[in-house]
Amino acid sequence: MRDNGRVSDEVLIEMRAACKRFRTWKRKEGVRGFFANFLAREWQTVSALEGIDLTIRRGEFVGLIGANGAGKTTLLKCVSGITPVSAGSASMFGCDSFELRDEHKRRLSMVMGQRSQLWWDLPAIDSFRLLREIYPVPREVFERRVAESAERLGVADKLQRQLRNLSLGERMKMEIVGAFLHEPDVVFLDEPTIGLDLVSRETIRRHLVELNRSRGVTIVLTSHDMEDIEETCRRLVILRQGRMLFDGALVDLMARVYDRRAIEVHLEPHSAGWEEALAPLLEPFSAKLERSAPLSLLFSVPASAVQRFVPFLFERFAIRDLAIERHPLDMLIRQIFQERGPGAGAAP
Amino acid sequence: MSSLLRDLRLLGIAFVYELRKVTAWRAGFVVRELMRSMWRPLVMIFVYRAMLLEPDARLGGYDFPGLVGYLILAASFEKLLFHQRGLDLADQIFQGYVTKYLTMPVRFFVLALARFVQHIAVQGFVLAVLWILGWLLLPQWWPQPHSAAAALSALTLVLLGSYCAFLVCFVVNVLAFWLDVIWTLSAMASFVFSFAAGVLVPVSIMPEWLAGTLRWMFPYWAVSAPVELFLGRLDPSALSHGVAVLLAWIVALELVRELAWRRGLGRHVGAGV
């Protein structure tokens, strides 16, 4: 699906050694702790972002991933000017993010998958009218954009229906129609496909890629769904505990994905499973055991070794079923997490 | 100037949006908007009846029909006062819905202000209907204004007082950036407000030391004083005193609101919101 447009040299988002730290107090347990919480609080500094260097140019489609609490949303907040950085700098459109003026804010938009901005009891079109005034968009342009976007996302006939009567997928599509009404230059999407069915996810991804390609809109997408990332982004940023673990082209990462296969083996009940002693036998195939359960094993193998490795598996184990798949991106990302410690910086 | 015009225009659109929101949920509209502040005065009518059983019994200069008139007026004016349930800002802060607005080229307060305008419009309409019905159906009980000027003075004070109440609601809601007991605070504030405003008991019949103190508070000038102005029990010159007190409160509350909002945003950092 990835058919993104051209990236220009114009830098829209820039972070230099950006840190975000919070001061919070440690809650103590028990009765003594209860009094200590009032009388002698123990303060600590929590680091949500640490030393982030990030440059995003016009037209890029960047995937931002990381575990819960990795700092994805904090990064979005710092960049979009909701909260200031504690050290370093964060800028957007060449202006300090926390000092963004209205003319800058008109150029950005934010969609939060779990926080609908449209009013539950009203049809989406009513909320769009308010957005039209906020941004502001001329009436005829507004009508055209709503009609086009809603048509493309397949919700044109739902505009007049109360939001509460729409499905989750339809509501998210409405959010996206609203987010692009003012044709922003930068859009932050925070888990836009969370909880959606396959068809809705596909439709939304296709729509986003189309907007990125045709309008050159810069999109920063956070998602736990690797399919979202694979099918839309050209660049991937991985965060872990507030630090940037990887920043690079998705295509480079995908080359590693295409080079390997995941082989999932289901064993016969009561048969011999995996033993540590078997590990050296994997070396000739450059295979790695990714996951081991009593009756199932998951191996990662170079594509070129599959033909030799499968007979080896049948020889060693009583196999009930076997599946060979392309190496999933999330497995690779897990490897990156394992290879680089929490203190590691971004890839060059 | 253009920024002010833009805010006013946005206020107009947001007002219509809020109006649509408040009327979209019909059961909620009837219970929360139409019937709000009707029950307590109704109960107090029975309480006063029990207290003033003798035909010529009086309470602080009020006879029973006078107190009924007071309660009708106090309930009417209380309907115009902005209340905590009218603003769900604390929920928006807790649940992170406020985040997206912060990236928009808009002063968030303008959107909140639309709630206030919507409240006045809806309650003003409800009151107009209620008063027409009252005059038609209960002419002997329904209070008459001392003069047109008295009615206008009372309304001016109520509207200014309602704006003060709105600012207090806003500030209490903004405390959600720090605290998670906003609804408890709101309920407490609402109780204190009702008492200080003289919704159930006229402030003028309270002990002098207490009444004297309450006269420096905005709730008194939002309900009790307008009722007595309307009935001609308060000298018309009280209007200027009331306006001065209310304006002073508005200035102070605006400063607190601005400060609380700025400091609160600095703390708006919760993960995932």
Side-chain angles (χ1 to χ4, degrees):
Chain A
M1 188 187 289
R2 263 179 308 120
D3 177 22
N4 311 81
R6 201 174 292 168
V7 176
S8 85
D9 289 336
E10 186 189 352
V11 173
L12 294 187
I13 296 169
E14 194 159 37
M15 295 182 98
R16 289 282 161 261
C19 302
K20 181 69 191 178
R21 301 185 189 111
F22 307 119
R23 195 162 168 263
T24 178
W25 54 280
K26 209 171 167 180
R27 284 169 172 79
K28 294 174 184 161
E29 299 170 15
V31 178
R32 284 176 67 181
F34 172 80
F35 290 106
N37 285 339
F38 282 102
L39 302 171
R41 283 183 179 175
E42 195 181 316
W43 291 92
Q44 58 184 10
T45 303
V46 177
S47 184
L49 291 177
E50 206 57 53
I52 302 290
D53 286 307
L54 181 69
T55 303
I56 298 177
R57 294 183 165 77
R58 179 185 286 279
E60 284 200 89
F61 202 134
V62 182
L64 183 61
I65 62 170
N68 291 332
K72 304 184 296 292
T73 308
T74 307
L75 190 144
L76 292 190
K77 279 183 180 178
C78 289
V79 168
S80 59
I82 293 168
T83 185
V85 290
S86 310
S89 66
S91 65
M92 195 178 214
F93 310 124
C95 177
D96 184 326
S97 287
F98 200 58
E99 304 292 332
L100 289 182
R101 301 166 68 90
D102 280 357
E103 60 259 37
H104 297 125
K105 289 184 174 180
R106 277 182 209 120
R107 296 173 63 191
L108 72 94
S109 188
M110 185 178 264
V111 174
M112 304 174 84
Q114 300 185 69
R115 308 273 184 271
S116 172
Q117 211 58 51
L118 309 174
W119 194 254
W120 192 244
D121 292 318
L122 294 183
I125 191 72
D126 283 321
S127 298
F128 294 161
R129 290 204 178 101
L130 182 66
L131 290 175
R132 180 176 82 81
E133 196 57 41
I134 287 175
Y135 277 103
V137 182
R139 186 180 297 275
E140 57 279 14
V141 177
F142 165 80
E143 305 286 355
R144 194 189 69 236
R145 284 182 192 161
V146 169
E148 281 175 5
S149 298
E151 187 64 44
R152 212 173 295 150
L153 286 165
V155 287
D157 57 335
K158 309 276 172 31
L159 286 166
Q160 308 287 348
R161 197 181 288 182
Q162 266 185 323
L163 205 69
R164 64 159 100 179
N165 292 326
L166 300 184
S167 69
L168 184 64
E170 288 164 346
R171 289 206 293 272
M172 182 44 65
K173 287 171 186 170
M174 292 300 185
E175 289 281 339
I176 288 175
V177 172
F180 284 89
L181 268 183
H182 58 292
E183 296 213 326
D185 289 327
V186 176
V187 178
F188 298 105
L189 296 149
D190 195 5
E191 301 186 40
T193 59
I194 192 163
L196 303 194
D197 63 67
L198 200 66
V199 178
S200 297
R201 288 209 303 259
E202 278 290 319
T203 312
I204 288 174
R205 286 175 196 149
R206 196 172 301 123
H207 184 67
L208 295 175
V209 169
E210 168 61 20
L211 287 167
N212 171 254
R213 191 188 58 76
S214 61
R215 286 203 42 246
V217 54
T218 305
I219 299 179
V220 180
L221 168 77
T222 77
S223 180
H224 289 293
D225 184 343
M226 286 306 128
E227 270 185 44
D228 282 352
I229 304 289
E230 275 184 71
E231 300 207 1
T232 57
C233 304
R234 274 178 293 176
R235 181 176 161 196
L236 186 65
V237 171
I238 305 177
L239 290 178
R240 185 187 189 183
Q241 294 175 6
R243 289 173 187 273
M244 202 184 279
L245 213 57
F246 177 88
D247 177 11
L250 187 68
V251 70
D252 294 342
L253 210 60
M254 292 303 282
R256 289 166 68 178
V257 169
Y258 288 122
D259 274 356
R260 296 188 76 84
R261 297 290 181 270
I263 301 183
E264 191 168 16
V265 176
H266 293 273
L267 306 175
E268 291 289 358
H270 312 298
S271 66
W274 176 256
E275 291 166 21
E276 277 307 312
L278 296 173
L281 299 178
L282 299 181
E283 281 170 19
F285 306 99
S286 302
K288 277 180 71 179
L289 179 72
E290 294 287 348
R291 196 177 64 224
S292 162
L295 287 178
S296 77
L297 304 169
L298 181 65
F299 296 97
S300 164
V301 193
S304 57
V306 170
Q307 211 172 357
R308 290 184 294 121
F309 189 61
V310 172
F312 162 78
L313 290 175
F314 275 100
E315 206 174 283
R316 281 282 156 193
F317 302 102
I319 294 176
R320 185 162 53 96
D321 193 15
L322 180 142
I324 304 174
E325 285 179 353
R326 204 186 69 191
H327 199 302
L329 185 60
D330 53 359
M331 196 188 283
L332 190 66
I333 286 164
R334 207 161 42 233
Q335 275 177 16
I336 293 173
F337 277 130
Q338 285 163 0
E339 285 165 15
R340 299 165 191 218
Chain B
M1 189 60 190
S2 66
S3 153
L4 179 69
L5 285 176
R6 226 178 78 72
D7 281 355
L8 281 175
R9 196 176 149 75
L10 178 61
L11 183 65
I13 298 288
F15 158 66
V16 175
Y17 183 65
E18 292 297 337
L19 206 57
R20 296 265 292 130
K21 269 160 69 175
V22 81
T23 51
W25 186 38
R26 285 176 200 139
F29 180 72
V30 170
V31 174
R32 291 215 306 238
E33 307 301 329
L34 300 190
M35 297 168 78
R36 199 185 92 76
S37 78
M38 307 282 265
W39 302 113
R40 280 183 305 179
L42 210 59
V43 171
M44 285 308 287
I45 287 177
F46 291 100
V47 172
Y48 285 132
R49 177 74 279 182
M51 288 167 73
L52 305 174
L53 284 173
E54 301 298 322
D56 54 349
R58 300 180 79 81
L59 187 65
Y62 282 95
D63 58 7
F64 179 65
L67 280 168
V68 171
Y70 180 93
L71 288 171
I72 290 172
L73 272 167
S76 305
F77 291 165
E78 196 193 8
K79 278 181 82 65
L80 281 175
L81 291 186
F82 196 83
H83 58 99
Q84 288 290 348
R85 298 198 70 84
L87 203 60
D88 55 358
L89 179 57
D91 281 346
Q92 291 199 34
I93 292 170
F94 280 141
Q95 293 167 19
Y97 288 100
V98 78
T99 303
K100 193 174 162 183
Y101 285 114
L102 304 178
T103 65
M104 293 180 179
V106 61
R107 281 203 310 135
F108 184 79
F109 184 67
V110 176
L111 298 178
L113 196 59
R115 286 279 177 97
F116 171 71
V117 180
Q118 167 261 305
H119 173 87
I120 295 294
V122 169
Q123 295 298 339
F125 174 76
V126 172
L127 266 185
V129 173
L130 195 72
W131 272 66
I132 289 168
L133 288 176
W135 270 325
L136 290 175
L137 303 175
L138 301 164
Q140 71 280 20
W141 290 99
W142 215 257
Q144 302 294 324
H146 182 253
S147 64
L152 207 61
S153 304
L155 204 59
T156 305
L157 291 177
V158 174
L159 292 178
L160 286 173
S162 184
Y163 187 67
C164 285
F166 165 70
L167 291 175
V168 169
C169 287
F170 192 91
V171 171
V172 170
N173 273 259
V174 168
L175 292 180
F177 282 121
W178 292 271
L179 307 172
D180 55 3
V181 289
I182 300 308
W183 292 114
T184 311
L185 281 179
S186 298
M188 287 160 69
S190 167
F191 176 77
V192 172
F193 185 90
S194 287
F195 175 76
V199 170
L200 305 178
V201 180
V203 171
S204 59
I205 66 173
M206 291 181 186
E208 189 44 44
W209 63 270
L210 182 59
T213 308
L214 293 179
R215 283 187 191 107
W216 291 102
M217 307 291 159
F218 77 85
Y220 166 74
W221 293 100
V223 178
S224 200
V227 169
E228 297 199 321
L229 259 175
F230 187 96
L231 294 172
R233 299 175 70 95
L234 206 60
D235 192 79
S237 65
L239 174 68
S240 54
H241 184 194
V243 169
V245 171
L246 288 169
L247 287 180
W249 271 96
I250 286 173
V251 170
L253 286 168
E254 283 282 2
L255 291 174
V256 174
R257 174 187 68 78
E258 188 64 29
L259 183 72
W261 180 248
R262 278 176 187 275
R263 298 291 297 269
L265 284 186
R267 282 185 57 93
H268 183 51
V269 289
V273 296

